[in-house]
Amino acid sequence: MHCQFVADGVFYAELNEFFQHELANEGYSGIEVRVTPTRTEIIIRATQTQDILGVNGRRIRMLTSIVQKRFNFPEGTVELYAEKVAARGLCAVAQCESLKFKLLQGLAVRRAAYSVVRYVMESGAKGCEVIVSGKLRAARAKSMKFSEGFMLHSGNPAQEFIDFAVRHVEMKQGVLGIKVKIMLDSDPTGRLGPKNPLPDIVTILSNDKEEAPLDHPVSESKIPVAEPAAPAAEAPAPVEAF
């Protein structure tokens, strides 16, 4: 049983590394592996799904053939699908890859990092943190941190609400390390974040009865008011006999 867990982990890690190199230009953002009794489904999440499919689905078939031969899958038992990322600005992997390409194109570290932070916050995130470490300008290595908004660092909410990604950039002066952390907001639909809100959020429910606003002093009497007595019933008029 333990060997199967290790084998599944090695399979996922090798597959993820292969797609990182192969689909870097297509905005690769991760994979999901679903195993059924008849076949194995691999869902590729990316920002540009049309480029992954290729002309008439040629590229997705080529990737399927490579995965099938590498991991010795029988014919027709593995399927690859491409799924578009719901919100690119809330995906840490997509933003990490975006920052990586900006640095490779020669953009300044500070400008590239702040552009990523700004885009993430405009997409609806509660907080964002970008850390770039390595030989940035001088020969001495250092680390630069760019953050904005609200960020959790410990506890169970940090595991549920924070999307985290790490990438390495091979520059002329050496290798730079990139870390991107995105604090997601709660979403009842579950598409843009966890369904449950943060545990420290208190919601005060309003009263159903709407009271008129008071704009002048009002006094209230505490003495019970006696109810007026009911009027006595009138006696019927006597009837004269003839």
Side-chain angles (χ1 to χ4, degrees):
M1 192 67 178
H2 296 288
C3 295
Q4 183 63 34
F5 286 141
V6 174
D8 293 342
V10 172
F11 168 70
Y12 181 87
E14 187 172 347
L15 202 61
N16 187 40
E17 185 177 0
F18 167 70
F19 286 133
Q20 280 182 13
H21 293 287
E22 184 69 23
L23 305 176
N25 296 330
E26 286 75 19
Y28 171 74
S29 302
I31 59 171
E32 180 182 353
V33 180
R34 298 176 183 173
V35 180
T36 62
T38 56
R39 61 181 180 177
T40 301
E41 298 178 355
I42 301 174
I43 302 173
I44 304 172
R45 294 192 178 92
T47 57
Q48 303 174 14
T49 54
Q50 192 61 39
D51 295 339
I52 296 178
L53 297 176
V55 180
N56 297 327
R58 186 179 305 169
R59 191 177 187 192
I60 194 75
R61 289 196 299 269
M62 182 194 71
L63 294 173
T64 304
S65 176
I66 293 175
V67 172
Q68 177 180 331
K69 292 177 181 179
R70 169 63 185 85
F71 297 100
N72 298 324
F73 281 105
E75 185 73 26
T77 58
V78 59
E79 289 287 340
L80 265 65
Y81 302 95
E83 180 182 358
K84 192 174 182 63
V85 177
R88 181 170 173 265
L90 301 178
C91 180
V93 177
Q95 295 307 310
C96 223
E97 292 287 348
S98 174
L99 181 57
K100 176 180 176 180
F101 277 98
K102 288 179 180 179
L103 294 178
L104 288 175
Q105 291 174 359
L107 196 63
V109 176
R110 191 180 299 274
R111 184 175 179 183
Y114 274 126
S115 65
V116 170
V117 172
R118 190 183 311 111
Y119 182 74
V120 170
M121 297 303 294
E122 290 176 354
S123 300
K126 296 191 71 174
C128 178
E129 182 179 281
V130 176
I131 301 177
V132 183
S133 57
K135 292 182 180 180
L136 303 178
R137 287 185 178 179
R140 181 89 175 189
K142 64 176 181 178
S143 179
M144 298 179 67
K145 181 187 291 187
F146 310 89
S147 60
E148 185 176 345
F150 177 62
M151 181 67 63
L152 290 176
H153 297 277
S154 62
N156 186 55
Q159 300 178 359
E160 295 181 356
F161 287 85
I162 290 183
D163 193 11
F164 179 73
V166 178
R167 289 292 181 272
H168 300 90
V169 189
E170 296 181 359
M171 308 286 286
K172 286 184 178 180
Q173 65 270 25
V175 179
L176 299 181
I178 301 174
K179 296 180 183 179
V180 176
K181 294 172 66 175
I182 299 176
M183 176 77 181
L184 303 175
D185 199 0
S186 60
D187 183 18
T189 61
R191 294 179 65 253
L192 303 178
K195 292 184 178 181
N196 298 326
L198 287 170
D200 59 346
I201 292 181
V202 178
T203 304
I204 300 176
L205 302 178
S206 61
N207 195 1
D208 295 335
K209 296 188 299 181
E210 295 184 359
E211 299 180 356
L214 300 177
D215 54 356
H216 59 277
V218 177
S219 62
E220 182 179 357
S221 177
K222 300 297 182 181
I223 303 175
V225 180
E227 297 181 359
E234 297 181 358
V239 179
E240 296 180 358
F242 295 96

